[in-house]
Amino acid sequence: MKKTLIALAVLAASSAAMAQVTLYGVADIALGAVNATGVKSDANMKTNDAQNDGNSRWGIKVVEDLGGGMKATAQFEQNIDYSTGAADVASGRYAYMALDGGFGRIKAGRTLSPSFFGVAAWELTGAANFSAVANQFAFAGGGSRNSREFSYTTPKMGGFSATLGYVTELDGVENGGLGSKLDANAIYAAGPLAVGLSYWKNDKVAAGASTDGNYALGANYNFGAFILAGSFQDAAGPSQGWSLGARVPVGPWAFTVDVAQDTGFDDTDYLLYAGYSLSKRTTAYFDYRRDGKSNKAGGKSAVDADIYGIGVRHNF
C-alpha cells in the first residue's frame, strides 16, 4: 500500500511538471473586391486582406505549471496564405515568453501591443481586418504589434487591469525606429461594461513629425438586445476623431454597423457586417466598408473606395 501511494505521488508530481502543448490555427478565406473612384476591380480570393475577418494562421503554445500559482508560457504564431500555402518567418505574429503569477504577467518578445488590447477591449468586430475603427485610426494611431517588447500586466482587480510595455532605445532602432517606445493600456471589463484606454509614444521621431503621444479611449455597453460602442481618438499630428457603432445578435446571426470619422482629415469610414455562426468555431460572414476620401490636403485616402467581402472563418 505504501509503495502504491509513493508511486501515485511520483506520477502526480511528474504530470504537474509536464508542459501543456496546444497546436491551433485559423483558416479564413473570402471572395472580395475593391471598387474605387476611377478604378473597378474584379472579385478574387482574399486570404489575409482587408475583406477577411482575420488573417489565416497557425500557432503553437506551450504552458508549464511551475507550482505555487506560477506558470511559464511560450508562444509562436505566423500567417498562412491559404491561396498559395505560403508561410514564412517574416509573417511572424507571436514569438514571446511570459511568466504568470499572483503578481500579474511579465512578457518579452514579439506580441500584440498594449494599445491593441486597449482598443480590442471595446471594439465591436474583435479588431477584424475590416474594422472601420482599425482601418481609420489603427490602434491609437499605431500598429497592432511590437517587436522586442518587455511588458508587465497587473492582476485583474474588480474588472480592472493595466499593461505597461517598453521597447528599449537600441531595440527601437533595430525595429526601424529612432529610439525607445512606451506603450500602455488601462482596461475595465465587468458585467455589461467594457472600457479601454490606449496610449503610446516614441522617444524620438523623424524630423518634422509630431512628438505628441497617441491616445484612444473607447467603451461598449451590452444592453442585452444590442451592444453600443463609441470612442474618441487622438493620434499624434492632425489625426483625431471619433467612432460610434452597434452590434445586434439575433440567434446565430450578428449584425454590426460602425462609423469612424477622422475630423482632422475630414475622412469618414462606414462598416456593415453580417455574420452567421455555423458552429462555435465556424462563421460565415459578409462585410462592406466604405473607405471615405479625405477632404483635406495630406489626408489618408485620395479617393472613395467600396470594399466588399463574403467568406468563412474557421478556428481550430
Side-chain angles (χ1 to χ4, degrees):
M1 182 65 179
K2 184 176 181 181
K3 290 182 178 180
T4 302
L5 291 175
I6 293 174
L8 290 173
V10 171
L11 179 61
S14 62
S15 298
M18 291 178 63
Q20 178 183 355
V21 180
T22 303
L23 182 66
Y24 65 93
V26 173
D28 190 320
I29 301 176
L31 180 67
V34 179
N35 294 332
T37 303
V39 179
K40 185 177 181 180
S41 71
D42 293 329
N44 67 326
M45 182 179 291
K46 305 293 182 180
T47 54
N48 296 325
D49 294 282
Q51 295 91 337
N52 292 98
D53 187 302
N55 283 9
S56 296
R57 72 201 75 154
W58 79 276
I60 185 168
K61 186 175 183 180
V62 182
V63 180
E64 181 182 6
D65 187 348
L66 302 176
M70 296 179 61
K71 64 180 180 179
T73 302
Q75 186 172 358
F76 176 79
E77 182 180 295
Q78 68 179 159
N79 288 333
I80 298 176
D81 185 345
Y82 269 82
S83 65
T84 64
D88 56 79
V89 176
S91 64
R93 300 163 55 89
Y94 270 137
Y96 74 84
M97 293 182 64
L99 184 65
D100 294 88
F103 53 82
R105 164 173 264 208
I106 298 172
K107 183 165 65 171
R110 176 169 171 78
T111 178
L112 289 165
S113 68
S115 291
F116 169 89
F117 287 114
V119 172
W122 54 266
E123 199 272 340
L124 291 171
T125 68
N129 288 10
F130 46 68
S131 164
V133 174
N135 281 282
Q136 181 69 276
F137 300 109
F139 299 94
S144 60
R145 288 176 171 78
N146 288 328
S147 293
R148 302 176 172 91
E149 177 192 281
F150 295 94
S151 68
Y152 168 71
T153 300
T154 68
K156 288 188 177 181
M157 300 169 285
F160 174 82
S161 66
T163 299
L164 177 64
Y166 183 72
V167 178
T168 70
E169 182 173 1
L170 181 57
D171 285 331
V173 172
E174 293 181 352
N175 284 348
L178 300 174
S180 61
K181 179 181 182 180
L182 180 69
D183 201 328
N185 69 40
I187 297 171
Y188 176 81
L193 177 65
V195 182
L197 171 66
S198 299
Y199 169 82
W200 68 271
K201 182 178 181 180
N202 285 323
D203 179 53
K204 299 177 182 178
V205 297
S210 173
T211 58
D212 295 339
N214 302 264
Y215 302 86
L217 175 62
N220 73 41
Y221 192 90
N222 190 340
F223 289 89
F226 64 94
I227 303 171
L228 186 66
S231 74
F232 172 73
Q233 308 276 339
D234 189 5
S239 177
Q240 63 176 9
W242 55 270
S243 69
L244 183 64
R247 184 176 181 88
V248 181
V250 183
W253 288 93
F255 302 93
T256 299
V257 179
D258 216 358
V259 181
Q261 183 177 72
D262 190 323
T263 55
F265 287 115
D266 192 13
D267 183 326
T268 305
D269 284 9
Y270 305 90
L271 171 70
L272 298 176
Y273 165 85
Y276 183 86
S277 294
L278 298 169
S279 71
K280 291 183 178 180
R281 297 183 299 169
T282 305
T283 301
Y285 62 85
F286 167 80
D287 58 271
Y288 163 73
R289 183 168 61 87
R290 173 74 166 183
D291 186 3
K293 174 183 176 181
S294 299
N295 294 309
K296 292 186 179 179
K300 303 173 182 177
S301 305
V303 297
D304 291 318
D306 296 311
I307 304 169
Y308 308 84
I310 181 168
V312 175
R313 171 174 175 147
H314 174 68
N315 299 328
F316 60 89

